[in-house]
Amino acid sequence: MTLIIDRYFLDITSINNLNFKSKPSHKYSLNKENKNRFDLNKFFYKQIGKKHQWTDRLIWKDKNWIDYVSNEKVETYILQTNNDLIGYFELIFEGNNCELAYLGILEEYIGKGLGGFLLSEALKIGLKKSKRVWVHTCSLDHPNAIENYKLRGMKVFKTETLRRKVI
């Protein structure tokens, strides 16, 4: 059996195009994560990614995670309330470009208006440090993902269809 996957590449090139969504409540905080906390990236990747078939990093050993989060081009931000983890995003800066590598919210927090806020913050931070923020998403991602990117002001610049054999 073959699985058909639609992949979308989107970008935004100006803070003026950002349709910012405010934080739904003052009880939430977003903080840049310390470079030696690879366990948080690993936790979010596995927990959020299991529903959306994020698989490329599942083979990573702790050394791979440590090397990744230690890279000066990578920044991780964690959304939380009190001591409860909610979601995260990873930005990778390369020249004048910033890739939004991963963004997600734990399942129990979906539907609380946090996705638009988290994406807004990721784009704002990315655009402060670069001229362009880009991301790719696909039909395996959360059904609201592509719409959230568009609502925040991102534009599709490329699409492709992939075929993945399912065993």
Side-chain angles (χ1 to χ4, degrees):
M1 184 169 109
T2 301
L3 181 64
I4 306 295
I5 303 166
D6 294 319
R7 187 157 51 175
Y8 309 92
F9 296 80
L10 301 96
D11 68 357
I12 187 169
T13 57
S14 172
I15 196 79
N16 296 328
N17 296 334
L18 175 59
N19 298 317
F20 192 79
K21 184 166 182 187
S22 299
K23 185 171 19 174
S25 165
H26 68 280
K27 69 181 182 176
Y28 300 106
S29 63
L30 181 69
N31 299 298
K32 185 176 177 182
E33 192 48 54
N34 187 315
K35 288 280 187 189
N36 62 6
R37 293 292 312 271
F38 77 92
D39 56 316
L40 287 174
N41 293 67
K42 183 177 176 179
F43 166 78
F44 280 120
Y45 180 88
K46 287 183 173 186
Q47 290 303 308
I48 295 166
K50 66 185 170 188
K51 279 194 82 168
H52 307 293
Q53 297 188 36
W54 295 356
T55 58
D56 56 322
R57 295 183 185 178
L58 292 178
I59 60 169
W60 281 15
K61 305 288 187 223
D62 285 352
K63 170 92 168 87
N64 300 101
W65 285 102
I66 291 167
D67 290 347
Y68 176 72
V69 300
S70 299
N71 185 325
E72 65 184 26
K73 297 176 182 180
V74 175
E75 294 182 5
T76 301
Y77 292 81
I78 307 293
L79 180 63
Q80 59 189 77
T81 181
N82 300 319
N83 290 326
D84 293 336
L85 298 173
I86 296 171
Y88 85 128
F89 60 84
E90 296 173 359
L91 300 174
I92 304 173
F93 294 92
E94 189 74 50
N96 288 325
N97 288 291
C98 172
E99 177 186 1
L100 175 54
Y102 286 94
L103 178 142
I105 294 175
L106 295 172
E107 192 168 3
E108 58 267 30
Y109 292 98
I110 291 176
K112 299 183 184 302
L114 297 168
F117 165 70
L118 191 61
L119 178 56
S120 293
E121 289 294 322
L123 296 176
K124 182 176 76 173
I125 291 166
L127 288 168
K128 281 184 180 178
K129 298 180 178 188
S130 67
K131 293 183 177 179
R132 174 180 176 253
V133 179
W134 71 276
V135 66
H136 66 79
T137 188
C138 72
S139 52
L140 298 175
D141 217 342
H142 189 279
N144 295 342
I146 186 78
E147 193 59 29
N148 190 20
Y149 293 127
K150 290 177 179 179
L151 285 170
R152 301 288 72 80
M154 299 189 87
K155 305 286 186 210
V156 174
F157 67 88
K158 178 181 169 185
T159 61
E160 61 187 16
T161 300
L162 307 171
R163 288 170 172 72
R164 180 188 292 170
K165 289 193 181 216
V166 180
I167 301 171

